[in-house]
PDB file of all heavy atoms in Angstrom:
ATOM      1  N   VAL K   1    -126.010 -63.020 -22.694  1.00  0.00           N
ATOM      2  CA  VAL K   1    -125.145 -62.345 -21.671  1.00  0.00           C
ATOM      3  C   VAL K   1    -125.978 -61.612 -20.773  1.00  0.00           C
ATOM      4  O   VAL K   1    -125.950 -61.691 -19.614  1.00  0.00           O
ATOM      5  CB  VAL K   1    -123.952 -61.512 -22.390  1.00  0.00           C
ATOM      6  CG1 VAL K   1    -123.230 -60.886 -21.312  1.00  0.00           C
ATOM      7  CG2 VAL K   1    -123.043 -62.667 -23.084  1.00  0.00           C
ATOM      8  N   ASN K   2    -126.817 -60.767 -21.332  1.00  0.00           N
ATOM      9  CA  ASN K   2    -127.680 -59.844 -20.454  1.00  0.00           C
ATOM     10  C   ASN K   2    -128.560 -60.631 -19.599  1.00  0.00           C
ATOM     11  O   ASN K   2    -128.777 -60.383 -18.552  1.00  0.00           O
ATOM     12  CB  ASN K   2    -128.476 -58.973 -21.461  1.00  0.00           C
ATOM     13  CG  ASN K   2    -129.243 -57.823 -20.745  1.00  0.00           C
ATOM     14  OD1 ASN K   2    -128.556 -57.116 -19.882  1.00  0.00           O
ATOM     15  ND2 ASN K   2    -130.397 -57.587 -21.087  1.00  0.00           N
ATOM     16  N   ASN K   3    -129.090 -61.746 -20.168  1.00  0.00           N
ATOM     17  CA  ASN K   3    -130.032 -62.625 -19.393  1.00  0.00           C
ATOM     18  C   ASN K   3    -129.309 -63.231 -18.185  1.00  0.00           C
ATOM     19  O   ASN K   3    -129.895 -63.384 -17.091  1.00  0.00           O
ATOM     20  CB  ASN K   3    -130.555 -63.717 -20.289  1.00  0.00           C
ATOM     21  CG  ASN K   3    -131.532 -64.625 -19.673  1.00  0.00           C
ATOM     22  OD1 ASN K   3    -132.513 -64.119 -19.120  1.00  0.00           O
ATOM     23  ND2 ASN K   3    -131.216 -65.877 -19.515  1.00  0.00           N
ATOM     24  N   TYR K   4    -128.040 -63.673 -18.363  1.00  0.00           N
ATOM     25  CA  TYR K   4    -127.448 -64.298 -17.259  1.00  0.00           C
ATOM     26  C   TYR K   4    -126.423 -63.519 -16.408  1.00  0.00           C
ATOM     27  O   TYR K   4    -125.706 -64.057 -15.468  1.00  0.00           O
ATOM     28  CB  TYR K   4    -126.535 -65.613 -17.828  1.00  0.00           C
ATOM     29  CG  TYR K   4    -127.507 -66.641 -18.342  1.00  0.00           C
ATOM     30  CD1 TYR K   4    -127.510 -66.963 -19.800  1.00  0.00           C
ATOM     31  CD2 TYR K   4    -128.060 -67.417 -17.282  1.00  0.00           C
ATOM     32  CE1 TYR K   4    -128.415 -68.088 -20.205  1.00  0.00           C
ATOM     33  CE2 TYR K   4    -128.793 -68.538 -17.811  1.00  0.00           C
ATOM     34  CZ  TYR K   4    -128.982 -68.839 -19.119  1.00  0.00           C
ATOM     35  OH  TYR K   4    -129.768 -69.881 -19.642  1.00  0.00           O
ATOM     36  N   LEU K   5    -126.489 -62.227 -16.629  1.00  0.00           N
ATOM     37  CA  LEU K   5    -125.698 -61.284 -15.675  1.00  0.00           C
ATOM     38  C   LEU K   5    -126.624 -60.918 -14.496  1.00  0.00           C
ATOM     39  O   LEU K   5    -127.889 -60.859 -14.596  1.00  0.00           O
ATOM     40  CB  LEU K   5    -125.248 -60.116 -16.499  1.00  0.00           C
ATOM     41  CG  LEU K   5    -124.164 -60.201 -17.271  1.00  0.00           C
ATOM     42  CD1 LEU K   5    -123.856 -58.764 -18.092  1.00  0.00           C
ATOM     43  CD2 LEU K   5    -122.808 -60.422 -16.371  1.00  0.00           C
ATOM     44  N   ASP K   6    -125.983 -60.815 -13.346  1.00  0.00           N
ATOM     45  CA  ASP K   6    -126.611 -60.318 -12.119  1.00  0.00           C
ATOM     46  C   ASP K   6    -127.155 -58.798 -12.678  1.00  0.00           C
ATOM     47  O   ASP K   6    -126.670 -58.219 -13.570  1.00  0.00           O
ATOM     48  CB  ASP K   6    -125.742 -60.168 -11.054  1.00  0.00           C
ATOM     49  CG  ASP K   6    -125.383 -61.571 -10.355  1.00  0.00           C
ATOM     50  OD1 ASP K   6    -126.189 -62.433 -10.657  1.00  0.00           O
ATOM     51  OD2 ASP K   6    -124.488 -61.489  -9.614  1.00  0.00           O
ATOM     52  N   PRO K   7    -128.135 -58.258 -11.853  1.00  0.00           N
ATOM     53  CA  PRO K   7    -128.514 -56.919 -11.981  1.00  0.00           C
ATOM     54  C   PRO K   7    -127.246 -56.021 -11.892  1.00  0.00           C
ATOM     55  O   PRO K   7    -126.495 -56.101 -11.116  1.00  0.00           O
ATOM     56  CB  PRO K   7    -129.460 -56.667 -10.805  1.00  0.00           C
ATOM     57  CG  PRO K   7    -130.058 -57.968 -10.514  1.00  0.00           C
ATOM     58  CD  PRO K   7    -128.862 -59.037 -10.713  1.00  0.00           C
ATOM     59  N   GLU K   8    -127.117 -55.305 -13.010  1.00  0.00           N
ATOM     60  CA  GLU K   8    -125.996 -54.335 -13.137  1.00  0.00           C
ATOM     61  C   GLU K   8    -124.683 -55.047 -13.253  1.00  0.00           C
ATOM     62  O   GLU K   8    -123.644 -54.447 -12.999  1.00  0.00           O
ATOM     63  CB  GLU K   8    -126.014 -53.229 -12.169  1.00  0.00           C
ATOM     64  CG  GLU K   8    -127.213 -52.376 -12.127  1.00  0.00           C
ATOM     65  CD  GLU K   8    -127.199 -51.258 -11.166  1.00  0.00           C
ATOM     66  OE1 GLU K   8    -126.096 -51.065 -10.477  1.00  0.00           O
ATOM     67  OE2 GLU K   8    -128.062 -50.375 -11.163  1.00  0.00           O
ATOM     68  N   GLY K   9    -124.790 -56.352 -13.708  1.00  0.00           N
ATOM     69  CA  GLY K   9    -123.522 -57.118 -13.803  1.00  0.00           C
ATOM     70  C   GLY K   9    -122.667 -56.644 -15.014  1.00  0.00           C
ATOM     71  O   GLY K   9    -123.119 -55.782 -15.949  1.00  0.00           O
ATOM     72  N   ILE K  10    -121.412 -56.919 -15.127  1.00  0.00           N
ATOM     73  CA  ILE K  10    -120.552 -56.367 -16.026  1.00  0.00           C
ATOM     74  C   ILE K  10    -120.199 -57.299 -17.174  1.00  0.00           C
ATOM     75  O   ILE K  10    -119.910 -58.564 -16.872  1.00  0.00           O
ATOM     76  CB  ILE K  10    -119.239 -55.791 -15.357  1.00  0.00           C
ATOM     77  CG1 ILE K  10    -119.515 -54.724 -14.421  1.00  0.00           C
ATOM     78  CG2 ILE K  10    -118.134 -55.344 -16.413  1.00  0.00           C
ATOM     79  CD1 ILE K  10    -120.148 -53.476 -15.065  1.00  0.00           C
ATOM     80  N   PHE K  11    -120.031 -56.884 -18.390  1.00  0.00           N
ATOM     81  CA  PHE K  11    -119.523 -57.610 -19.463  1.00  0.00           C
ATOM     82  C   PHE K  11    -118.340 -57.122 -20.123  1.00  0.00           C
ATOM     83  O   PHE K  11    -118.477 -55.898 -20.598  1.00  0.00           O
ATOM     84  CB  PHE K  11    -120.730 -57.838 -20.502  1.00  0.00           C
ATOM     85  CG  PHE K  11    -120.462 -58.658 -21.805  1.00  0.00           C
ATOM     86  CD1 PHE K  11    -119.486 -59.675 -21.793  1.00  0.00           C
ATOM     87  CD2 PHE K  11    -121.076 -58.246 -22.910  1.00  0.00           C
ATOM     88  CE1 PHE K  11    -119.265 -60.406 -22.874  1.00  0.00           C
ATOM     89  CE2 PHE K  11    -120.887 -59.087 -24.081  1.00  0.00           C
ATOM     90  CZ  PHE K  11    -119.903 -60.125 -24.083  1.00  0.00           C
ATOM     91  N   VAL K  12    -117.197 -57.827 -20.091  1.00  0.00           N
ATOM     92  CA  VAL K  12    -115.959 -57.182 -20.762  1.00  0.00           C
ATOM     93  C   VAL K  12    -115.637 -58.221 -21.960  1.00  0.00           C
ATOM     94  O   VAL K  12    -115.433 -59.363 -21.604  1.00  0.00           O
ATOM     95  CB  VAL K  12    -114.925 -56.949 -19.794  1.00  0.00           C
ATOM     96  CG1 VAL K  12    -113.657 -56.274 -20.554  1.00  0.00           C
ATOM     97  CG2 VAL K  12    -115.318 -56.127 -18.581  1.00  0.00           C
ATOM     98  N   PHE K  13    -115.356 -57.647 -23.114  1.00  0.00           N
ATOM     99  CA  PHE K  13    -114.996 -58.516 -24.149  1.00  0.00           C
ATOM    100  C   PHE K  13    -114.090 -57.687 -25.038  1.00  0.00           C
ATOM    101  O   PHE K  13    -113.893 -56.480 -24.952  1.00  0.00           O
ATOM    102  CB  PHE K  13    -116.210 -59.067 -24.929  1.00  0.00           C
ATOM    103  CG  PHE K  13    -117.055 -58.007 -25.647  1.00  0.00           C
ATOM    104  CD1 PHE K  13    -116.932 -57.527 -26.879  1.00  0.00           C
ATOM    105  CD2 PHE K  13    -117.956 -57.293 -24.792  1.00  0.00           C
ATOM    106  CE1 PHE K  13    -117.676 -56.539 -27.428  1.00  0.00           C
ATOM    107  CE2 PHE K  13    -118.849 -56.275 -25.328  1.00  0.00           C
ATOM    108  CZ  PHE K  13    -118.563 -55.853 -26.637  1.00  0.00           C
ATOM    109  N   ASP K  14    -113.406 -58.512 -26.059  1.00  0.00           N
ATOM    110  CA  ASP K  14    -112.512 -57.823 -27.025  1.00  0.00           C
ATOM    111  C   ASP K  14    -113.046 -58.339 -28.457  1.00  0.00           C
ATOM    112  O   ASP K  14    -113.790 -59.278 -28.583  1.00  0.00           O
ATOM    113  CB  ASP K  14    -111.140 -57.881 -26.780  1.00  0.00           C
ATOM    114  CG  ASP K  14    -110.624 -59.293 -26.961  1.00  0.00           C
ATOM    115  OD1 ASP K  14    -111.394 -60.205 -27.410  1.00  0.00           O
ATOM    116  OD2 ASP K  14    -109.210 -59.568 -26.934  1.00  0.00           O
ATOM    117  N   PHE K  15    -112.586 -57.634 -29.426  1.00  0.00           N
ATOM    118  CA  PHE K  15    -112.755 -58.157 -30.817  1.00  0.00           C
ATOM    119  C   PHE K  15    -111.649 -57.468 -31.709  1.00  0.00           C
ATOM    120  O   PHE K  15    -111.188 -56.402 -31.426  1.00  0.00           O
ATOM    121  CB  PHE K  15    -114.132 -57.697 -31.356  1.00  0.00           C
ATOM    122  CG  PHE K  15    -114.411 -56.162 -31.462  1.00  0.00           C
ATOM    123  CD1 PHE K  15    -114.241 -55.511 -32.585  1.00  0.00           C
ATOM    124  CD2 PHE K  15    -114.777 -55.491 -30.397  1.00  0.00           C
ATOM    125  CE1 PHE K  15    -114.452 -54.235 -32.726  1.00  0.00           C
ATOM    126  CE2 PHE K  15    -115.113 -54.073 -30.452  1.00  0.00           C
ATOM    127  CZ  PHE K  15    -114.837 -53.549 -31.663  1.00  0.00           C
ATOM    128  N   ASN K  16    -111.428 -58.210 -32.843  1.00  0.00           N
ATOM    129  CA  ASN K  16    -110.521 -57.915 -33.786  1.00  0.00           C
ATOM    130  C   ASN K  16    -111.384 -56.924 -34.762  1.00  0.00           C
ATOM    131  O   ASN K  16    -112.460 -57.195 -35.102  1.00  0.00           O
ATOM    132  CB  ASN K  16    -109.965 -58.945 -34.523  1.00  0.00           C
ATOM    133  CG  ASN K  16    -108.785 -59.607 -33.818  1.00  0.00           C
ATOM    134  OD1 ASN K  16    -108.254 -59.118 -32.998  1.00  0.00           O
ATOM    135  ND2 ASN K  16    -108.526 -60.897 -34.113  1.00  0.00           N
ATOM    136  N   THR K  17    -110.851 -55.810 -35.051  1.00  0.00           N
ATOM    137  CA  THR K  17    -111.492 -54.981 -35.817  1.00  0.00           C
ATOM    138  C   THR K  17    -111.378 -55.196 -37.425  1.00  0.00           C
ATOM    139  O   THR K  17    -110.447 -55.872 -37.856  1.00  0.00           O
ATOM    140  CB  THR K  17    -110.966 -53.451 -35.743  1.00  0.00           C
ATOM    141  OG1 THR K  17    -109.661 -53.447 -36.066  1.00  0.00           O
ATOM    142  CG2 THR K  17    -111.037 -53.068 -34.305  1.00  0.00           C
ATOM    143  N   THR K  18    -112.223 -54.570 -38.083  1.00  0.00           N
ATOM    144  CA  THR K  18    -112.305 -54.710 -39.606  1.00  0.00           C
ATOM    145  C   THR K  18    -110.932 -54.190 -40.137  1.00  0.00           C
ATOM    146  O   THR K  18    -110.285 -54.758 -41.159  1.00  0.00           O
ATOM    147  CB  THR K  18    -113.505 -53.916 -40.192  1.00  0.00           C
ATOM    148  OG1 THR K  18    -114.650 -54.438 -39.758  1.00  0.00           O
ATOM    149  CG2 THR K  18    -113.404 -53.967 -41.749  1.00  0.00           C
ATOM    150  N   TYR K  19    -110.417 -53.046 -39.622  1.00  0.00           N
ATOM    151  CA  TYR K  19    -109.132 -52.550 -39.979  1.00  0.00           C
ATOM    152  C   TYR K  19    -108.042 -53.574 -39.863  1.00  0.00           C
ATOM    153  O   TYR K  19    -107.209 -53.582 -40.714  1.00  0.00           O
ATOM    154  CB  TYR K  19    -108.849 -51.302 -39.019  1.00  0.00           C
ATOM    155  CG  TYR K  19    -107.511 -50.838 -39.221  1.00  0.00           C
ATOM    156  CD1 TYR K  19    -107.098 -49.816 -40.258  1.00  0.00           C
ATOM    157  CD2 TYR K  19    -106.377 -51.219 -38.455  1.00  0.00           C
ATOM    158  CE1 TYR K  19    -105.873 -49.352 -40.541  1.00  0.00           C
ATOM    159  CE2 TYR K  19    -105.078 -50.686 -38.592  1.00  0.00           C
ATOM    160  CZ  TYR K  19    -104.798 -49.805 -39.653  1.00  0.00           C
ATOM    161  OH  TYR K  19    -103.559 -49.243 -39.888  1.00  0.00           O
ATOM    162  N   LYS K  20    -108.081 -54.342 -38.758  1.00  0.00           N
ATOM    163  CA  LYS K  20    -106.893 -55.320 -38.620  1.00  0.00           C
ATOM    164  C   LYS K  20    -106.918 -56.362 -39.643  1.00  0.00           C
ATOM    165  O   LYS K  20    -105.964 -56.761 -40.286  1.00  0.00           O
ATOM    166  CB  LYS K  20    -107.153 -56.063 -37.246  1.00  0.00           C
ATOM    167  CG  LYS K  20    -105.966 -57.131 -36.925  1.00  0.00           C
ATOM    168  CD  LYS K  20    -106.102 -57.696 -35.721  1.00  0.00           C
ATOM    169  CE  LYS K  20    -105.024 -58.785 -35.466  1.00  0.00           C
ATOM    170  NZ  LYS K  20    -105.070 -59.261 -34.088  1.00  0.00           N
ATOM    171  N   TYR K  21    -108.155 -56.921 -40.000  1.00  0.00           N
ATOM    172  CA  TYR K  21    -108.241 -57.993 -41.023  1.00  0.00           C
ATOM    173  C   TYR K  21    -108.001 -57.340 -42.390  1.00  0.00           C
ATOM    174  O   TYR K  21    -107.243 -58.049 -43.192  1.00  0.00           O
ATOM    175  CB  TYR K  21    -109.558 -58.629 -41.006  1.00  0.00           C
ATOM    176  CG  TYR K  21    -110.010 -59.402 -39.828  1.00  0.00           C
ATOM    177  CD1 TYR K  21    -111.011 -59.107 -38.972  1.00  0.00           C
ATOM    178  CD2 TYR K  21    -109.189 -60.423 -39.532  1.00  0.00           C
ATOM    179  CE1 TYR K  21    -111.224 -59.790 -37.749  1.00  0.00           C
ATOM    180  CE2 TYR K  21    -109.385 -61.328 -38.393  1.00  0.00           C
ATOM    181  CZ  TYR K  21    -110.535 -60.950 -37.642  1.00  0.00           C
ATOM    182  OH  TYR K  21    -110.826 -61.729 -36.445  1.00  0.00           O
ATOM    183  N   LYS K  22    -108.405 -56.186 -42.734  1.00  0.00           N
ATOM    184  CA  LYS K  22    -108.164 -55.635 -44.010  1.00  0.00           C
ATOM    185  C   LYS K  22    -106.757 -55.008 -44.189  1.00  0.00           C
ATOM    186  O   LYS K  22    -106.278 -55.381 -45.189  1.00  0.00           O
ATOM    187  CB  LYS K  22    -109.157 -54.502 -44.236  1.00  0.00           C
ATOM    188  CG  LYS K  22    -109.137 -53.933 -45.609  1.00  0.00           C
ATOM    189  CD  LYS K  22    -110.207 -52.780 -45.683  1.00  0.00           C
ATOM    190  CE  LYS K  22    -110.112 -52.089 -47.191  1.00  0.00           C
ATOM    191  NZ  LYS K  22    -111.250 -51.118 -47.294  1.00  0.00           N
ATOM    192  N   GLU K  23    -106.250 -54.319 -43.263  1.00  0.00           N
ATOM    193  CA  GLU K  23    -105.082 -53.561 -43.511  1.00  0.00           C
ATOM    194  C   GLU K  23    -103.759 -54.227 -42.817  1.00  0.00           C
ATOM    195  O   GLU K  23    -102.601 -53.861 -43.351  1.00  0.00           O
ATOM    196  CB  GLU K  23    -105.136 -52.103 -42.834  1.00  0.00           C
ATOM    197  CG  GLU K  23    -106.359 -51.288 -43.503  1.00  0.00           C
ATOM    198  CD  GLU K  23    -106.320 -50.967 -44.891  1.00  0.00           C
ATOM    199  OE1 GLU K  23    -105.130 -51.058 -45.453  1.00  0.00           O
ATOM    200  OE2 GLU K  23    -107.234 -50.747 -45.457  1.00  0.00           O
ATOM    201  N   VAL K  24    -103.972 -55.040 -41.830  1.00  0.00           N
ATOM    202  CA  VAL K  24    -102.793 -55.632 -41.138  1.00  0.00           C
ATOM    203  C   VAL K  24    -102.517 -57.035 -41.645  1.00  0.00           C
ATOM    204  O   VAL K  24    -101.435 -57.383 -41.997  1.00  0.00           O
ATOM    205  CB  VAL K  24    -103.006 -55.495 -39.607  1.00  0.00           C
ATOM    206  CG1 VAL K  24    -101.737 -56.029 -38.873  1.00  0.00           C
ATOM    207  CG2 VAL K  24    -103.133 -54.079 -39.210  1.00  0.00           C
ATOM    208  N   ILE K  25    -103.592 -57.751 -41.507  1.00  0.00           N
ATOM    209  CA  ILE K  25    -103.326 -59.260 -41.970  1.00  0.00           C
ATOM    210  C   ILE K  25    -103.581 -59.490 -43.427  1.00  0.00           C
ATOM    211  O   ILE K  25    -102.787 -59.976 -44.067  1.00  0.00           O
ATOM    212  CB  ILE K  25    -104.270 -60.196 -41.129  1.00  0.00           C
ATOM    213  CG1 ILE K  25    -104.124 -59.917 -39.599  1.00  0.00           C
ATOM    214  CG2 ILE K  25    -104.158 -61.620 -41.465  1.00  0.00           C
ATOM    215  CD1 ILE K  25    -105.039 -60.740 -38.812  1.00  0.00           C
ATOM    216  N   GLY K  26    -104.801 -59.092 -44.013  1.00  0.00           N
ATOM    217  CA  GLY K  26    -104.997 -59.043 -45.306  1.00  0.00           C
ATOM    218  C   GLY K  26    -104.758 -60.573 -45.884  1.00  0.00           C
ATOM    219  O   GLY K  26    -105.112 -61.577 -45.319  1.00  0.00           O
ATOM    220  N   ASP K  27    -104.264 -60.520 -47.238  1.00  0.00           N
ATOM    221  CA  ASP K  27    -103.957 -61.835 -47.848  1.00  0.00           C
ATOM    222  C   ASP K  27    -102.514 -61.982 -47.593  1.00  0.00           C
ATOM    223  O   ASP K  27    -101.595 -61.398 -48.121  1.00  0.00           O
ATOM    224  CB  ASP K  27    -104.213 -61.648 -49.290  1.00  0.00           C
ATOM    225  CG  ASP K  27    -105.715 -61.706 -49.623  1.00  0.00           C
ATOM    226  OD1 ASP K  27    -106.486 -62.090 -48.716  1.00  0.00           O
ATOM    227  OD2 ASP K  27    -106.059 -61.302 -50.751  1.00  0.00           O
ATOM    228  N   SER K  28    -102.107 -63.008 -46.663  1.00  0.00           N
ATOM    229  CA  SER K  28    -100.810 -63.118 -46.167  1.00  0.00           C
ATOM    230  C   SER K  28    -100.542 -64.585 -45.732  1.00  0.00           C
ATOM    231  O   SER K  28    -101.537 -65.264 -45.565  1.00  0.00           O
ATOM    232  CB  SER K  28    -100.450 -62.224 -45.061  1.00  0.00           C
ATOM    233  OG  SER K  28    -101.295 -62.466 -43.958  1.00  0.00           O
ATOM    234  N   VAL K  29     -99.302 -64.909 -45.670  1.00  0.00           N
ATOM    235  CA  VAL K  29     -98.891 -66.219 -45.259  1.00  0.00           C
ATOM    236  C   VAL K  29     -97.923 -65.982 -44.052  1.00  0.00           C
ATOM    237  O   VAL K  29     -97.074 -65.344 -43.946  1.00  0.00           O
ATOM    238  CB  VAL K  29     -98.208 -67.062 -46.164  1.00  0.00           C
ATOM    239  CG1 VAL K  29     -97.817 -68.446 -45.605  1.00  0.00           C
ATOM    240  CG2 VAL K  29     -99.061 -67.277 -47.517  1.00  0.00           C
ATOM    241  N   ILE K  30     -98.404 -66.664 -42.776  1.00  0.00           N
ATOM    242  CA  ILE K  30     -97.640 -66.604 -41.600  1.00  0.00           C
ATOM    243  C   ILE K  30     -97.208 -68.069 -41.239  1.00  0.00           C
ATOM    244  O   ILE K  30     -97.888 -68.943 -41.394  1.00  0.00           O
ATOM    245  CB  ILE K  30     -98.471 -66.127 -40.425  1.00  0.00           C
ATOM    246  CG1 ILE K  30     -98.984 -64.766 -40.810  1.00  0.00           C
ATOM    247  CG2 ILE K  30     -97.611 -66.010 -39.198  1.00  0.00           C
ATOM    248  CD1 ILE K  30    -100.042 -64.261 -39.800  1.00  0.00           C
ATOM    249  N   ALA K  31     -95.848 -68.209 -40.928  1.00  0.00           N
ATOM    250  CA  ALA K  31     -95.325 -69.639 -40.608  1.00  0.00           C
ATOM    251  C   ALA K  31     -94.573 -69.447 -39.303  1.00  0.00           C
ATOM    252  O   ALA K  31     -93.824 -68.450 -39.058  1.00  0.00           O
ATOM    253  CB  ALA K  31     -94.587 -70.171 -41.637  1.00  0.00           C
ATOM    254  N   GLU K  32     -94.555 -70.421 -38.499  1.00  0.00           N
ATOM    255  CA  GLU K  32     -93.733 -70.524 -37.266  1.00  0.00           C
ATOM    256  C   GLU K  32     -93.243 -72.009 -37.076  1.00  0.00           C
ATOM    257  O   GLU K  32     -94.036 -72.868 -37.160  1.00  0.00           O
ATOM    258  CB  GLU K  32     -94.477 -69.926 -36.173  1.00  0.00           C
ATOM    259  CG  GLU K  32     -93.557 -69.846 -34.928  1.00  0.00           C
ATOM    260  CD  GLU K  32     -94.305 -68.996 -33.736  1.00  0.00           C
ATOM    261  OE1 GLU K  32     -95.300 -68.317 -34.029  1.00  0.00           O
ATOM    262  OE2 GLU K  32     -93.812 -69.137 -32.492  1.00  0.00           O
ATOM    263  N   ASN K  33     -91.970 -72.010 -36.748  1.00  0.00           N
ATOM    264  CA  ASN K  33     -91.359 -73.387 -36.474  1.00  0.00           C
ATOM    265  C   ASN K  33     -90.808 -73.454 -35.038  1.00  0.00           C
ATOM    266  O   ASN K  33     -90.043 -72.675 -34.468  1.00  0.00           O
ATOM    267  CB  ASN K  33     -90.261 -73.687 -37.556  1.00  0.00           C
ATOM    268  CG  ASN K  33     -89.716 -75.038 -37.474  1.00  0.00           C
ATOM    269  OD1 ASN K  33     -90.422 -76.037 -37.183  1.00  0.00           O
ATOM    270  ND2 ASN K  33     -88.389 -75.153 -37.606  1.00  0.00           N
ATOM    271  N   ARG K  34     -91.235 -74.488 -34.315  1.00  0.00           N
ATOM    272  CA  ARG K  34     -90.845 -74.764 -33.032  1.00  0.00           C
ATOM    273  C   ARG K  34     -90.224 -76.230 -33.041  1.00  0.00           C
ATOM    274  O   ARG K  34     -90.255 -77.015 -34.044  1.00  0.00           O
ATOM    275  CB  ARG K  34     -91.931 -74.847 -31.973  1.00  0.00           C
ATOM    276  CG  ARG K  34     -92.642 -73.380 -31.882  1.00  0.00           C
ATOM    277  CD  ARG K  34     -91.853 -72.364 -31.268  1.00  0.00           C
ATOM    278  NE  ARG K  34     -92.576 -71.172 -31.180  1.00  0.00           N
ATOM    279  CZ  ARG K  34     -93.172 -70.813 -30.076  1.00  0.00           C
ATOM    280  NH1 ARG K  34     -93.191 -71.549 -28.895  1.00  0.00           N
ATOM    281  NH2 ARG K  34     -93.897 -69.529 -29.946  1.00  0.00           N
ATOM    282  N   GLU K  35     -89.553 -76.611 -31.821  1.00  0.00           N
ATOM    283  CA  GLU K  35     -88.878 -77.865 -31.885  1.00  0.00           C
ATOM    284  C   GLU K  35     -89.756 -79.084 -32.166  1.00  0.00           C
ATOM    285  O   GLU K  35     -89.405 -80.044 -32.787  1.00  0.00           O
ATOM    286  CB  GLU K  35     -88.058 -77.978 -30.668  1.00  0.00           C
ATOM    287  CG  GLU K  35     -87.197 -79.213 -30.703  1.00  0.00           C
ATOM    288  CD  GLU K  35     -86.266 -79.269 -29.271  1.00  0.00           C
ATOM    289  OE1 GLU K  35     -86.247 -78.381 -28.548  1.00  0.00           O
ATOM    290  OE2 GLU K  35     -85.809 -80.393 -29.065  1.00  0.00           O
ATOM    291  N   GLU K  36     -90.956 -79.013 -31.500  1.00  0.00           N
ATOM    292  CA  GLU K  36     -91.902 -80.171 -31.535  1.00  0.00           C
ATOM    293  C   GLU K  36     -93.007 -79.932 -32.526  1.00  0.00           C
ATOM    294  O   GLU K  36     -93.897 -80.936 -32.656  1.00  0.00           O
ATOM    295  CB  GLU K  36     -92.374 -80.370 -30.140  1.00  0.00           C
ATOM    296  CG  GLU K  36     -91.245 -80.777 -29.068  1.00  0.00           C
ATOM    297  CD  GLU K  36     -90.610 -82.093 -29.443  1.00  0.00           C
ATOM    298  OE1 GLU K  36     -91.171 -83.051 -29.942  1.00  0.00           O
ATOM    299  OE2 GLU K  36     -89.353 -82.135 -29.173  1.00  0.00           O
ATOM    300  N   SER K  37     -93.117 -78.715 -32.948  1.00  0.00           N
ATOM    301  CA  SER K  37     -94.332 -78.499 -33.796  1.00  0.00           C
ATOM    302  C   SER K  37     -94.044 -77.285 -34.713  1.00  0.00           C
ATOM    303  O   SER K  37     -93.157 -76.421 -34.403  1.00  0.00           O
ATOM    304  CB  SER K  37     -95.483 -78.380 -33.061  1.00  0.00           C
ATOM    305  OG  SER K  37     -95.402 -77.309 -32.124  1.00  0.00           O
ATOM    306  N   SER K  38     -94.877 -77.184 -35.797  1.00  0.00           N
ATOM    307  CA  SER K  38     -94.821 -75.940 -36.667  1.00  0.00           C
ATOM    308  C   SER K  38     -96.167 -75.732 -37.261  1.00  0.00           C
ATOM    309  O   SER K  38     -96.911 -76.594 -37.278  1.00  0.00           O
ATOM    310  CB  SER K  38     -93.639 -76.166 -37.716  1.00  0.00           C
ATOM    311  OG  SER K  38     -93.983 -77.235 -38.598  1.00  0.00           O
ATOM    312  N   PHE K  39     -96.339 -74.495 -37.860  1.00  0.00           N
ATOM    313  CA  PHE K  39     -97.561 -74.273 -38.411  1.00  0.00           C
ATOM    314  C   PHE K  39     -97.447 -73.325 -39.656  1.00  0.00           C
ATOM    315  O   PHE K  39     -96.521 -72.577 -39.644  1.00  0.00           O
ATOM    316  CB  PHE K  39     -98.731 -73.734 -37.554  1.00  0.00           C
ATOM    317  CG  PHE K  39     -98.664 -72.333 -37.162  1.00  0.00           C
ATOM    318  CD1 PHE K  39     -99.130 -71.370 -37.929  1.00  0.00           C
ATOM    319  CD2 PHE K  39     -98.037 -71.990 -35.919  1.00  0.00           C
ATOM    320  CE1 PHE K  39     -99.060 -69.969 -37.667  1.00  0.00           C
ATOM    321  CE2 PHE K  39     -97.909 -70.655 -35.679  1.00  0.00           C
ATOM    322  CZ  PHE K  39     -98.403 -69.673 -36.391  1.00  0.00           C
ATOM    323  N   ILE K  40     -98.351 -73.433 -40.641  1.00  0.00           N
ATOM    324  CA  ILE K  40     -98.415 -72.523 -41.758  1.00  0.00           C
ATOM    325  C   ILE K  40     -99.771 -71.891 -41.755  1.00  0.00           C
ATOM    326  O   ILE K  40    -100.795 -72.585 -41.792  1.00  0.00           O
ATOM    327  CB  ILE K  40     -98.166 -73.055 -43.086  1.00  0.00           C
ATOM    328  CG1 ILE K  40     -96.750 -73.817 -43.144  1.00  0.00           C
ATOM    329  CG2 ILE K  40     -98.336 -72.088 -44.134  1.00  0.00           C
ATOM    330  CD1 ILE K  40     -96.488 -74.535 -44.262  1.00  0.00           C
TER     331      ILE K  40
END
């Protein structure tokens, strides 16, 4: 990224934190059902 940015170009990004994976998602099962598709 640094190599391909213009001089003083800007890099904006996000990331999920360790806190989210450990405390919010953890070991869980999420499911969603729509008319044409669903997932687990």
Side-chain angles (χ1 to χ4, degrees):
V1 169
N2 192 47
N3 180 60
Y4 285 109
L5 277 172
D6 286 349
E8 299 188 356
I10 296 299
F11 179 31
V12 184
F13 61 94
D14 73 356
F15 64 95
N16 283 335
T17 63
T18 301
Y19 172 85
K20 178 176 182 178
Y21 289 121
K22 181 178 179 180
E23 304 294 342
V24 180
I25 304 177
D27 293 341
S28 61
V29 177
I30 304 167
E32 188 169 341
N33 185 38
R34 301 289 182 96
E35 184 176 346
E36 299 296 325
S37 55
S38 62
F39 77 85
I40 301 171

